[in-house]
């Protein structure tokens, strides 16, 4: 297996599509992050979903499967059910994973894990490239506090993670099982307990990431405080083993929430769709107040038609124009950030990054 890239991008392995885009061609996204609902079972302290309210529509089984068919048909390579809702709240999650996999899409799921059905694990784990549990504390009481749930949820989720790891090892499935910590500086005391917990659970990795905030700082994230956590994060990374990787998203954690580019080039390659069905360039623009960037809704119109529409490309052109400034008009350190850095460099005449001799894991989740 190749390297597990947890702080970077994989555009070097998709040069053909990037070069087509540089020539002005309309390209399909490589990766789409989406949710199957805007609902959630938790009330995480750091949740950005509370800032993404938009007109929710019903994501039926028919709508979801049509979207997956369209995505595969136009050349999308990977779908991750990670967005502004908890997809395990949808009764159609399991059908969606197996259907997308059957269409040749790489499938992934990010979840708090509380509603994940253990009797469905043998059905979906062979179809997933990765399964990531969002867990931002390593002790029972802190977990309940930061993730806004009852303490008994911790026991339920730990049991589910262990069941996933056991099934993976027993059957030799290639699915990567990981943990993600959204780190608020005030919960720094949970970094080491969580790193140790990941080792004990037998998962493949723990990634420690920053908390995103909107352009107005609505969540009150103190980015300067991250600089004081370097030593404890390095201590956590030192708990890595050949079969367990602890990694921090250093490039974002130490960035003070700032960007080096003004225009946004990433969404044509890594698109986001709300759990309401809303198609927008990114999750930061889901809220109704950003409706000038809203493209359409897959409940009303097929994704293929939306992607082919003039409206889709007008919005993509708008966010790459001088009328848009990602430094002042966007939230901090978005999903597309590393891709944007690369594409901004290419637009400025830089050289394409060279792919390594061996392709990394999860190559289509860029």
């Amino acid at each position: 297996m190749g390297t597990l890239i947890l702080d970077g991008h994989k555009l070097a392995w998709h040069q053909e599509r990037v070069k087509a885009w540089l020539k002005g061609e309309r390209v399909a996204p490589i990766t789409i992050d989406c949710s199957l609902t805007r609902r959630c079972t938790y009330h995480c302290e750091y949740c950005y979903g509370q800032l993404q309210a938009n007109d929710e529509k019903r994501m039926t089984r028919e709508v979801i499967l049509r979207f997956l068919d369209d995505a595969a048909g136009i050349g999308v390579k990977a779908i991750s059910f990670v967005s502004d809702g908890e997809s395990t709240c949808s009764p159609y999650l399991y059908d969606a994973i197996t259907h997308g996999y059957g269409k040749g899409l790489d499938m992934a799921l990010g979840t708090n894990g509380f509603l994940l059905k253990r009797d469905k694990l043998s059905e979906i784990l062979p179809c997933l490239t990765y399964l990531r549990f969002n867990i931002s504390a390593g002790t029972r009481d802190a977990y309940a506090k930061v993730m806004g749930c009852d303490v008994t949820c911790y026991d339920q989720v730990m049991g589910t993670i262990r069941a996933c790891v056991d099934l993976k090892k027993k059957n030799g499935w290639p699915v990567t099982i990981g943990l993600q910590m959204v780190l608020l500086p005030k919960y720094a005391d949970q970094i080491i307990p969580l790193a140790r917990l990941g080792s004990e659970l037998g998962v493949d990795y723990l990634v420690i990431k920053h908390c995103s905030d909107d352009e107005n700082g609505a969540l009150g994230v103190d980015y300067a405080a991250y600089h004081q956590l370097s030593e404890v994060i390095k201590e956590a990374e030192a708990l890595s083993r050949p079969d367990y990787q602890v990694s921090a998203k250093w490039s974002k954690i130490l960035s003070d929430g700032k960007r080096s580019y003004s225009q946004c080039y990433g969404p044509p390659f890594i698109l986001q769709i709300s759990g309401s069905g809303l198609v927008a360039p990114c999750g930061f623009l889901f809220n109704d107040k950003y409706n000038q960037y809203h493209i359409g809704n897959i409940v009303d119109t097929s994704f293929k038609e939306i992607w082919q529409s003039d409206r889709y490309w007008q919005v993509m052109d708008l966010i790459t124009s001088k009328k848009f400034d990602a430094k002042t008009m966007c939230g901090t350190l978005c999903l597309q950030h590393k891709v944007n850095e690369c594409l901004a460099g290419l637009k400025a005449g830089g050289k394409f990054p060279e792919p390594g001799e061996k392709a990394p894991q999860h190559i289509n989740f860029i």
Side-chain angles (χ1 to χ4, degrees):
M1 298 178 70
T3 304
L4 181 61
I5 297 176
L6 297 173
D7 184 19
H9 65 85
K10 307 181 188 82
L11 283 181
W13 288 270
H14 299 278
Q15 293 194 30
E16 182 178 342
R17 196 164 299 194
V18 176
K19 288 175 180 177
W21 171 79
L22 287 169
K23 290 188 291 187
E25 296 179 22
R26 294 182 172 185
V27 298
I30 299 166
T31 309
I32 297 178
D33 270 25
C34 60
S35 183
L36 302 181
T37 178
R38 290 205 71 246
R39 291 177 291 147
C40 188
T41 48
Y42 285 10
H43 295 89
C44 296
E45 190 172 331
Y46 53 76
C47 181
Y48 201 92
Q50 61 188 295
L51 307 177
Q52 295 172 299
N54 61 81
D55 181 25
E56 180 153 8
K57 299 199 174 185
R58 189 159 176 255
M59 293 275 278
T60 64
R61 184 178 186 275
E62 179 185 10
V63 166
I64 294 164
L65 299 191
R66 181 184 68 188
F67 158 69
L68 293 168
D69 289 345
D70 284 347
I74 68 171
V76 174
K77 296 184 178 183
I79 302 288
S80 51
F81 291 134
V82 182
S83 189
D84 58 341
E86 173 56 54
S87 288
T88 57
C89 291
S90 170
Y92 313 116
L93 170 66
Y94 307 98
D95 285 349
I97 291 171
T98 56
H99 185 84
Y101 178 76
K103 289 291 179 177
L105 293 163
D106 285 356
M107 303 298 297
L109 172 64
T111 175
N112 61 40
F114 179 67
L115 290 182
L116 197 58
K117 296 179 179 179
R118 294 187 197 177
D119 62 353
K120 291 285 189 178
L121 295 178
S122 292
E123 180 181 323
I124 63 169
L125 286 176
C127 300
L128 291 172
T129 299
Y130 73 80
L131 170 59
R132 189 185 72 212
F133 290 90
N134 301 316
I135 170 173
S136 294
T139 62
R140 200 167 179 262
D141 289 342
Y143 177 92
K145 184 178 180 181
V146 70
M147 302 197 72
C149 62
D150 190 84
V151 291
T152 58
C153 296
Y154 177 88
D155 304 314
Q156 169 80 6
V157 173
M158 294 307 110
T160 299
I161 295 173
R162 287 189 170 91
C164 290
V165 171
D166 288 346
L167 282 168
K168 170 187 170 168
K169 291 181 177 178
K170 177 182 177 181
N171 294 282
W173 291 328
V175 57
T176 301
I177 300 173
L179 309 179
Q180 175 176 273
M181 180 186 205
V182 178
L183 176 61
L184 290 172
K186 66 180 178 178
Y187 291 113
D189 65 329
Q190 291 300 304
I191 295 172
I192 299 301
L194 184 53
R196 289 174 176 158
L197 177 63
S199 178
E200 187 268 324
L201 290 169
V203 298
D204 297 299
Y205 72 86
L206 164 67
V207 61
I208 301 167
K209 62 167 287 186
H210 64 291
C211 179
S212 293
D213 209 340
D214 72 1
E215 69 273 26
N216 300 313
L219 297 179
V221 182
D222 181 3
Y223 286 101
Y226 282 118
H227 291 271
Q228 303 168 24
L229 307 181
S230 293
E231 290 306 313
V232 69
I233 294 174
K234 290 177 182 177
E235 184 182 346
E237 289 185 323
L239 295 174
S240 298
R241 304 186 309 263
D243 61 346
Y244 174 56
Q245 179 176 334
V246 180
S247 292
K249 290 183 179 286
W250 287 109
S251 66
K252 293 184 178 182
I253 287 174
L254 300 180
S255 71
D256 294 315
K258 297 177 181 178
R259 289 178 166 84
S260 60
Y261 53 88
S262 292
Q263 278 65 57
C264 181
Y265 300 112
F269 300 96
I270 179 167
L271 183 71
Q272 290 178 273
I273 298 177
S274 170
S276 68
L278 170 70
V279 180
C282 70
F284 285 146
L285 299 176
F286 284 166
N287 193 287
D288 283 332
K289 66 182 179 181
Y290 303 116
N291 59 16
Q292 71 200 81
Y293 304 104
H294 293 177
I295 300 168
N297 193 296
I298 61 172
V299 174
D300 303 320
T301 309
S302 76
F303 179 68
K304 183 177 181 180
E305 291 177 87
I306 291 173
W307 174 72
Q308 290 175 330
S309 70
D310 289 339
R311 172 65 181 171
Y312 183 97
W313 294 102
Q314 287 166 358
V315 171
M316 295 302 175
D317 288 343
L318 174 60
I319 61 175
T320 63
S321 73
K322 296 297 183 182
K323 296 179 181 179
F324 189 85
D325 185 354
K327 291 181 179 178
T328 59
M329 298 168 69
C330 284
T332 55
L333 306 176
C334 62
L335 175 72
Q336 294 86 353
H337 178 62
K338 300 303 293 183
V339 168
N340 269 327
E341 286 183 331
C342 174
L343 295 173
L346 292 176
K347 279 285 190 177
K351 292 184 178 180
F352 212 103
E354 289 295 326
E357 293 183 6
K358 192 172 185 180
Q361 295 183 49
H362 314 163
I363 190 170
N364 292 326
F365 296 92
I366 62 167

